[in-house]
Every structure is written in C-alpha cells, then in structure tokens.
Amino acid sequence: MATSKPFLWGAATSAFQIEGSSESGERGTNIWDVYCEIPGKIAGQGTGLNTCDHVRRYRDDVALMNALNLRAYRFSISWPRVIPQGTGALNAAGLDFYDRLVDELVAAGIVPCATLYHWDLPNALQEEQSGWEHSDTANHFAEFSSIIFKRLGDRVKHWFTINEPWCIAYGGYIGGGFAPGIQDRARGFQVGHQLLRAHALAVAAFRSGGYDGEIGIGLNSEFMFPASDSKQDHDAAQRALLDMAGWFGDPVWFGDYPDEMRSAYGDMLPQFSDEDQELLTRSIDFIATNYYFSDVVRATPGQHPMAYERAPCPNRPTTAMGWPIVPEGLESLLIWLSDRYGKLPVYLTENGMAKENETVEDGCVHDPERIEYIRTHFEAARRAMEKGVDLRGYFVWSLIDNLEWAHGFAKRFGLVHCDFETQVRTIKDSGLWYADWIARGGWDAIESPQHLDLSSAGERGK
Ligand code: FCB
C-alpha cells in the first residue's frame, strides 16, 4: 500500500462473536459451538447462535460504521459458513453473505479488511482428523482461502490469514481455556506448526493468483518489561517476547522459530521442511498485531523451559478482563516488531477495553474510561510512529459488544452497545468520541486540546 493512502481508522469484529446463526443449515458447526455446549466453559452459558444477529442485520451495522466515520472495517469469514464440513461442498448462501457484506462496505466507502480464520474451525475437521494437529487441515485451509480470494479478491485488498495463532495454540492446547480445551504443550506446538503452514499455503495461493492487495498474519503479544534493571531480567524479557511474539512472527519472516525457542524446547518444537521454510520466509507484506496489555518478566533459571516468569504489570488500573492498562507497552511492542521484522508497514488490528454491566440510560452509554483507554493508546501509537514505525491502520476492538469467548456476554468491548435480547444498538460515548476523532483528522486531534463535548451525546446516539 502506498504511503499516500489515508490512514485506516477502523474497528474490528469476528464472525463467531457477532454473526449468529439461528437458522439450521445456515452454517456448519464449529469447534466453539461444541465448546459452548460443555457446562461451565462459557460464563453465563453464552453461545454463538444468536449473539448480535449480524448476518441478518449487517446493513444496519454498516450504517453504524458510517455513523462512526470508520474508514475501514476488519471482519472475519466463517469457514464453516462457506464450507460447512471444512472441505467439500460449498454453501453458496454463506459465500453470498460475505459478497453482500463487502458490497455494502464498498458502497459506504469503508475499506474491507478480511481475516480468513478467527478461531471457528469447522467441527467436522476436529472430529474426523484432529483439527489443527493434522497437516491436511492446513491444505484444507488453503483451499478455503483460495475460494474466498476468488470471490472477494476484486474488492478486498487487505487480508489477514489467521487471527492470533498464539491464542489458538496456547489457549486451545496448552493453557486449555479456549476450544478445544486441551492442556498439552507438545500438541500446542504441533497446532502452532500447522497454523504456520496453513498461513504459508494461503499466502502462496494469494500470491500465485496474482491478486492486487496485501496479506499478512494477525499476531498478538503483550509487551514484556523487565522486572528489574538486572541483565538477567532484561534477557528474560527478550526471551518472553520471542516465546510469544517470536513464536509466530519469526517463522513468517525468517522462515523458522527463534533459536532461543529451539534450544529451550528441543524436539518438542516440530521441524519445517525445506519447502515449508521457503513458503514461510517473507510470507507477510506487513506486520499486524493485536495489543491489550503488558507484563513484567523476571529470570527464573531452571523453572520454565525458557527460564522466565511473567505476570501482568502490577499497580495499574485494570479493565473488566483484569488486564492492566499500559499504553506505553503498545509503543514498545510496535517498535520491537518493526525493528525485528524488516521495518515493514504495520497494522494494529485490535485494541480496546472491556467494561462490565454497561447499560443504556436515556439513549446514552457513558464510558469515559474507554475513551481514555483508546485516546492514550492512540497517543502511544503516535509516539511509535515518531520513532519510525510505519503504522498504516488502527482497528479498535470492537465495533459492537459481542460474545467474548469463554467470558460470555458480560464483558463488553464495543464502541456500540448491543442489547442481546432486543438487538437494539446504541452508539456509546466512546463511539461518538471516535467518530469525532476521525472527523477531526485523527492524529491531528492530538495537537488540538479541546475534547468532544458529549453533553448532547444522547441525541446524537439515537
Ligand atoms: C482477542 C481476540 C478477539 C477478542 C479480544 C478481546 O484475543 O482476537 O476476538 O476476543 O481478544
């Protein structure tokens, strides 16, 4: 993308979290549908069957994006909506849905940015061939991706293959709090490995298809601050960054895992074939990362395989997720990624904060903490740009309150409030503030001290 293009001020969502699918036959079952059925896994027994009913209300939601002045929208495509069993028969109605969504965005002047996989693996692949542990799943993903490129590639120019492979592999297979809920480090590494192969194969399909546009993978990482000034803690913080950001960042740029991971984990970390390495090396056109908070790290020789221990930054206000608010960690993470991965263009693909029990009063949702969170993170990103980071876009998580995975519906991240019973949407104060920020020219608004007067927010929100 040429630098002269406008900065992509956007918001993000994912298919499972907003779409809903109450009519049978609308989409195939995914691994999160199954996980939601296990008692105790999802707070409040939430499911993805209705959530924001976006599939039916997408036109209203694009109108909301317009009201927010969004320049770009990052959404994900549900693989089982397009190919219910993961491979084989296509669901034409599912593919048509994304076609109409993209048309609607383009007509509204909003740049569509598509993620091909945001955690909702077709369950048939999990049951029949052990999901992401099986190398065939990577091939099936590349086939699915090719179908999407072919159908949407004339209008979508910004692609993300996989959202947060770290969360898929770590959350799903090591920590075990995410679908499919396994706790086994070796299996987690195998899943991570196949996710990387899947990314590489999809990128190869995109590039050989000659599409106009750019493609990358959606990383996530906390920034790791050393717990003390000691060299040991500094080195430990670097190892922690490599273990989280480098686990997926290094292979898609250098073609292999960080040396530090190889020597710590030994045979547990699978080997890439020569062909895999060739496809992986330089398989991103940009760096994309999500950022929410930061950790402090201390050296712990002989304990963790990589001899570190990390904990969320102490003594900070926290969000409803319990995550400390650390804007300067965003600045440091963007610089770290940009320095390590070739000073590529960067997109911040998710950032935002959860609140609990947000309610609509007189047509308003007052969320000054979220405005402050977003504003201070914008400023941190700006500082990173002043230090040379080529940031091209910033996507607030999330456009609208939605199903926050294992946390259910209680944690609300939206710029827009969703009443999940009535499906009424209400733009929060933060949404009005963001609309104003974009209208005033984004970064330029930092220099102008006045803040949006929200006293008439109710009227505007209606
Ligand atoms: C990220 C996920 C996204 C959302 C936010 C809060 O890890 O990518 O779907 O749940 O966290």
Side-chain angles (χ1 to χ4, degrees):
M1 197 174 77
T3 24
S4 57
K5 294 232 174 111
F7 190 85
L8 294 184
W9 290 109
T13 62
S14 87
F16 182 68
Q17 292 176 279
I18 67 161
E19 285 182 355
S21 179
S22 47
E23 287 159 29
S24 59
E26 267 191 350
R27 66 160 168 78
T29 303
N30 69 54
I31 57 172
W32 274 89
D33 289 317
V34 173
Y35 196 66
C36 288
E37 291 301 315
I38 305 173
K41 293 295 188 193
I42 311 293
Q45 273 93 57
T47 76
L49 294 182
N50 293 313
T51 180
C52 308
D53 195 26
H54 171 74
V55 161
R56 272 186 292 228
R57 294 165 197 268
Y58 72 94
R59 286 202 174 88
D60 298 344
D61 291 340
V62 174
L64 281 167
M65 295 175 211
N66 231 336
L68 294 180
N69 292 329
L70 298 189
R71 303 275 186 264
Y73 173 54
R74 172 177 173 253
F75 61 100
S76 82
I77 293 164
S78 159
W79 180 354
R81 189 179 295 287
V82 176
I83 309 177
Q85 302 299 305
T87 177
L90 273 183
N91 172 23
L95 197 47
D96 287 350
F97 165 69
Y98 295 106
D99 202 65
R100 290 198 306 274
L101 172 64
V102 167
D103 275 349
E104 193 79 10
L105 290 165
V106 171
I110 297 167
V111 176
C113 301
T115 303
L116 290 161
Y117 184 78
H118 199 127
W119 306 3
D120 47 358
L121 186 73
N123 193 54
L125 296 181
Q126 188 75 33
E127 301 230 309
E128 284 155 29
Q129 56 172 46
S130 61
W132 284 115
E133 286 177 82
H134 200 296
S135 60
D136 282 356
T137 301
N139 299 322
H140 296 322
F141 175 73
E143 288 153 17
F144 156 68
S145 302
S146 299
I147 290 167
I148 303 298
F149 296 145
K150 210 162 163 195
R151 184 68 181 265
L152 305 181
D154 56 337
R155 286 152 291 157
V156 177
K157 308 291 173 195
H158 305 272
W159 295 96
F160 307 96
T161 52
I162 294 170
N163 176 70
E164 298 191 347
W166 186 90
C167 281
I168 300 166
Y170 193 93
Y173 285 82
I174 301 179
F178 286 173
I182 290 157
Q183 287 179 305
D184 181 326
R185 191 181 286 279
R187 290 175 71 182
F189 281 145
Q190 170 64 8
V191 165
H193 201 72
Q194 298 307 333
L195 288 168
L196 283 161
R197 292 189 58 253
H199 157 83
L201 291 168
V203 171
F206 180 76
R207 289 182 176 165
S208 66
Y211 297 97
D212 168 33
E214 52 176 12
I215 191 162
I217 192 168
L219 301 174
N220 70 291
S221 188
E222 280 102 84
F223 190 71
M224 312 287 179
F225 289 104
S228 78
D229 287 342
S230 72
K231 177 166 177 351
Q232 286 85 345
D233 286 347
H234 271 267
D235 292 349
Q238 279 308 304
R239 289 196 299 278
L241 276 163
L242 292 172
D243 201 17
M244 192 169 191
W247 177 2
F248 295 95
D250 272 29
V252 298
W253 186 243
F254 300 119
D256 202 357
Y257 300 110
D259 292 344
E260 291 81 350
M261 285 186 78
R262 284 240 173 260
S263 46
Y265 297 115
D267 291 344
M268 214 191 280
L269 209 52
Q271 298 291 335
F272 292 111
S273 67
D274 290 347
E275 194 194 339
D276 289 341
Q277 287 206 312
E278 210 170 294
L279 289 180
L280 274 165
T281 305
R282 308 285 190 266
S283 64
I284 49 172
D285 297 326
F286 53 77
I287 299 161
T289 190
N290 300 345
Y291 172 82
Y292 289 94
F293 66 99
S294 290
D295 292 336
V296 287
V297 179
R298 68 183 73 253
T300 56
Q303 290 183 29
H304 182 280
M306 286 186 76
Y308 73 85
E309 178 183 84
R310 64 183 172 91
C313 284
N315 310 319
R316 294 287 181 135
T318 55
T319 70
M321 300 293 281
W323 297 342
I325 300 176
V326 192
E328 68 273 28
L330 172 60
E331 176 186 350
S332 301
L333 180 67
L334 294 177
I335 293 169
W336 189 89
L337 290 169
S338 165
D339 285 351
R340 190 164 179 91
Y341 305 125
K343 301 258 179 208
L344 288 176
V346 181
Y347 292 97
L348 185 63
T349 34
E350 284 178 27
N351 174 246
M353 78 169 275
K355 291 188 70 189
E356 223 151 12
N357 303 322
E358 284 185 296
T359 50
V360 182
E361 283 162 41
D362 296 331
C364 301
V365 181
H366 300 303
D367 57 348
E369 307 85 348
R370 185 175 287 109
I371 295 177
E372 193 57 11
Y373 180 101
I374 296 172
R375 191 184 61 76
T376 51
H377 284 76
F378 283 176
E379 287 176 0
R382 180 66 181 177
R383 291 195 298 274
M385 290 170 83
E386 278 158 8
K387 292 177 184 159
V389 173
D390 182 10
L391 190 68
R392 305 277 179 99
Y394 198 125
F395 295 80
V396 173
W397 184 272
S398 177
L399 172 69
I400 185 166
D401 296 337
N402 57 53
L403 178 68
E404 180 43 39
W405 307 108
H407 294 278
F409 289 105
K411 313 285 186 208
R412 292 176 175 270
F413 273 93
L415 295 164
V416 175
H417 182 276
C418 183
D419 180 325
F420 299 108
E421 298 287 314
T422 62
Q423 291 299 336
V424 169
R425 278 100 159 109
T426 308
I427 300 179
K428 301 179 191 177
D429 284 0
S430 57
L432 297 170
W433 178 88
Y434 191 28
D436 186 65
W437 166 273
I438 298 170
R440 286 196 289 141
W443 308 115
D444 300 341
I446 289 180
E447 275 83 57
S448 60
Q450 85 274 18
H451 283 281
L452 173 63
D453 174 13
L454 290 167
S455 51
S456 58
E459 275 134 57
R460 280 187 283 170
K462 277 180 200 160

